Structure formats: C-alpha cells, structure tokens
Amino acid sequence: GESVGLHLPTLSVQEGDNSIINCAYSNSASDYFIWYKQESGKGPQFIIDIRSNMDKRQGQRVTVLLNKTVKHLSLQIAATQPGDSAVYFCAELQYGQNFVFGPGTRLSVLP
Amino acid sequence: DSGVTQTPKHLITATGQRVTLRCSPRSGDLSVYWYQQSLDQGLQFLIQYYNGEERAKGNILERFSAQQFPDLHSELNLSSLELGDSALYFCASSVQGTGGGNHYGYTFGSGTRLTVV
C-alpha cells in the first residue's frame, strides 16, 4: 500500500534492537493516553494505553512511559522486528471528550 | 478486521465533483468519528457523531458535511472537490462519546483513499 506521512520524523533501528518512540502532548489536564500503530495502507490500530495515575505500563514487548511533569509519553518496543515497521501515533484524551493525535513517527526496521 | 467497515476503499474523481464515503461502526458502538490523513499531515479530526447527533466538529471545510443515520452508519459528503482534498479518510467508532470496548479508545476502519484528478 501507499505510504502516508512521507515527511514524518523517522526512527531507524536494527532488527533485534530496542526502539524508543517519543511524543510530547499538549494538555496537562489530559488523563488518558493511547499509542496507535499504523501500517501502510491500513487504519491505526490500538497498541497500549495508560492512565495519568500511572507512570509505566507494560504489554507484550511494548512499554509505555508517562512523564506528566514534562508532558511526555514514550513507547518502547523490545527486540524490534520487521513487522514493527509502521507509523506510530500517540493520542491524548482532552477534557474527557475527544482524542487528539500527535504527528506520528515512522519506525523503519533495518535487517 | 477491526469491525469498522468503510466503503469504497479507493475512489478517483475529478475536481468539482461530489463524493460520499460510507462508514459502518463496530457493532454496539454509538459514536463515529471522521479523520482526514494527507501525505504531509497526521490525522486531522473532522467531525464526530454520537447516536445520530453531531457531537464535535474539527477542521472540517464547509464543502464537507456528514451525518449519522438511525442504524448508526455514517456518511461523509465531500463536494466541489479540489486537488488538495486527495487524502485517506478514516472513520473510527467507539461505544460512548470517548471510548469503549477493551480499551477506552477508538477503533479505526481501513480508510477510503480519495484521489482527485
């Protein structure tokens, strides 16, 4: 499928290495955050979420870290695989109403 | 399959024309959201409907309109199309106004790729 976001920031990692994707969010009152993965030609898919009363949450090979002091969110992917190549978006729930999405980061996994 | 169905998958049309994009939300979801994704931009929120009523509006052009029907499917109408309207259009759904299912987020469809020539 056709790629989206050709001008997105890109992170290139070697297969097997760990990846860290960062996101700055805008609203200090936001209390719920989600990371989405978007593969080429597909819609965004939920990866992991975290509430503001937590600073870390782990899933299968993924960990989300939340630093409310500096309004920063990160997604760590362990042992990155070729199938992890995609665009990753963070989303924050603002005012308990709607999600606002970050600009996205393209992850490229090198063989 | 996410459970959110969008049709058509691809659409090619000429400038000045009008098109309708369709979205069927996941079963049980009451909210539908429309997003536009252009090559050099992220996901731009257009509009949200909840149980047939407009709930929130984003950066939606006056040439664009949407509605949600009693069976909860939604249509996005794009008129007087311009070259710059070429983009991926995504529909997402959630149970309540802000989320539902296994997580409190949105479930996205696969999108409609609109090309205006």
Side-chain angles (χ1 to χ4, degrees):
Chain A
E2 186 177 334
S3 298
V4 296
L6 293 178
H7 302 291
L8 291 173
T10 298
L11 173 67
S12 297
V13 299
Q14 211 69 39
E15 181 179 353
D17 287 352
N18 297 333
S19 304
I20 300 176
I21 301 170
N22 297 304
C23 174
Y25 63 92
S26 60
N27 193 327
S28 57
S30 295
D31 61 1
Y32 181 66
F33 305 86
I34 294 181
W35 278 100
Y36 283 89
K37 172 185 180 183
Q38 185 178 22
E39 296 175 276
S40 184
K42 298 182 179 179
Q45 294 176 290
F46 170 89
I47 302 175
I48 191 167
D49 59 355
I50 188 167
R51 295 199 175 276
S52 59
N53 60 354
M54 306 171 68
D55 53 21
K56 180 179 180 179
R57 189 158 189 231
Q58 288 185 292
Q60 186 177 14
R61 278 201 311 117
V62 294
T63 300
V64 55
L65 299 178
L66 174 63
N67 185 330
K68 294 182 287 293
T69 303
V70 294
K71 293 188 289 186
H72 184 267
L73 203 61
S74 69
L75 177 70
Q76 300 179 0
I77 304 174
T80 312
Q81 303 169 359
D84 295 326
S85 293
V87 176
Y88 291 81
F89 294 96
C90 65
E92 61 177 303
L93 183 64
Q94 289 196 350
Y95 310 110
Q97 292 292 322
N98 292 310
F99 282 95
V100 174
F101 288 80
T105 298
R106 180 181 303 283
L107 175 65
S108 292
V109 181
L110 308 173
Chain B
D1 181 9
S2 68
V4 177
T5 304
Q6 288 188 250
T7 57
K9 289 193 183 304
H10 301 276
L11 199 49
I12 301 175
T13 190
T15 54
Q17 295 299 304
R18 171 190 169 94
V19 297
T20 297
L21 312 184
R22 182 188 169 102
C23 170
S24 293
R26 197 177 54 166
S27 178
D29 286 359
L30 300 178
S31 267
V32 169
Y33 310 80
W34 285 98
Y35 283 84
Q36 181 191 56
Q37 188 175 43
S38 303
L39 275 179
D40 58 353
Q41 294 185 14
L43 290 161
Q44 301 295 316
F45 171 64
L46 295 178
I47 198 164
Q48 177 202 353
Y49 279 83
Y50 174 73
N51 204 20
E53 301 283 331
E54 182 182 304
R55 172 67 70 89
K57 231 173 184 178
N59 299 321
I60 187 167
L61 300 172
E62 286 192 9
R63 301 183 285 109
F64 296 0
S65 64
Q67 54 185 327
Q68 186 179 27
F69 295 86
D71 67 352
L72 301 177
H73 91 271
S74 178
E75 292 181 355
L76 179 66
N77 301 297
L78 314 176
S79 61
S80 303
L81 284 167
E82 302 174 359
L83 295 177
D85 297 328
S86 295
L88 272 167
Y89 291 84
F90 287 105
C91 167
S93 72
S94 67
V95 170
Q96 301 172 358
T98 56
N102 294 326
H103 57 84
Y104 292 92
Y106 303 162
T107 301
F108 282 85
S110 298
T112 293
R113 178 171 298 285
L114 173 66
T115 302
V116 183
V117 296

